[in-house]
Amino acid sequence: MRVEQISIFLENTGGRIAEVTTILSNASVNIRALSLADTTDFGVLRLIVDDNEKAEKALKENGFSVGKTSVVAVAVEDKPGGLNRILILLAEADLNVEYMYALQQSGDHAVMIFRFDNTDEAIKLLESEGIRVYKASEVASL
């Protein structure tokens, strides 16, 4: 039920994101979702891609530092309060969301990527409440 995310550490200078996307494009890697967090000196580009191994190899060959993290893809009802319901459940269970970002819209729900402080417990809670947690293979085909 976990999805592997790659993280690329970038200097906060013009053109660095374009370098990453050029490398991935040349390696025929498709970006499914991304999130960028930055400070004045550097940024962390988090990506869900269709081929992690190919992406990691291409990026490292071009001098980028790449990390891998387990995240969770969750179906969030596409209506007012859909995300709130999930966040309240997690808060009441004392489970922290370290970060989250959107993957895509799919029918009557959005698919969001979550990084939890306790992934196994978060997955167990969400599934017990009837909230869909995607398998990695399902995310790759969205």
Side-chain angles (χ1 to χ4, degrees), residues 4-44:
E4 189 172 74
Q5 165 193 274
I6 60 172
S7 300
I8 302 118
F9 303 94
L10 304 170
E11 297 141 7
N12 196 358
T13 58
R16 291 298 279 171
I17 299 170
E19 287 180 55
V20 170
T21 58
T22 297
I23 291 164
L24 295 176
S25 176
N26 290 341
S28 298
V29 173
N30 191 25
I31 299 170
R32 307 294 299 150
L34 67 83
S35 170
L36 177 65
D38 71 331
T39 66
T40 54
D41 297 326
F42 70 94
V44 179

Side-chain angles (χ1 to χ4, degrees), residues 16-141:
R16 291 298 279 171
I17 299 170
E19 287 180 55
V20 170
T21 58
T22 297
I23 291 164
L24 295 176
S25 176
N26 290 341
S28 298
V29 173
N30 191 25
I31 299 170
R32 307 294 299 150
L34 67 83
S35 170
L36 177 65
D38 71 331
T39 66
T40 54
D41 297 326
F42 70 94
V44 179
L45 180 61
R46 296 179 174 111
L47 301 172
I48 304 295
V49 297
D50 67 343
D51 190 329
N52 283 333
E53 288 75 30
K54 202 187 311 184
E56 182 179 18
K57 182 178 186 258
L59 290 164
K60 285 184 174 181
E61 286 174 353
N62 284 276
F64 285 92
S65 177
V66 179
K68 292 183 180 180
T69 308
S70 288
V71 293
V72 181
V74 178
V76 179
E77 290 181 291
D78 186 20
K79 66 179 187 180
L83 177 59
N84 182 290
R85 173 180 175 234
I86 291 172
L87 296 175
I88 294 295
L89 286 170
L90 294 164
E92 288 174 349
D94 200 29
L95 293 166
N96 186 43
V97 175
E98 294 179 0
Y99 57 82
M100 63 183 173
Y101 54 96
L103 175 64
Q104 75 172 46
Q105 178 69 25
S106 181
D108 62 349
H109 62 277
V111 181
M112 294 192 64
I113 301 296
F114 287 84
R115 170 79 172 153
F116 300 111
D117 64 345
N118 186 332
T119 302
D120 292 334
E121 286 300 314
I123 290 170
K124 194 162 117 179
L125 171 67
L126 293 169
E127 289 182 331
S128 74
E129 293 292 326
I131 296 168
R132 182 174 181 187
V133 176
Y134 286 83
K135 296 176 186 170
S137 59
E138 294 174 310
V139 170
S141 65

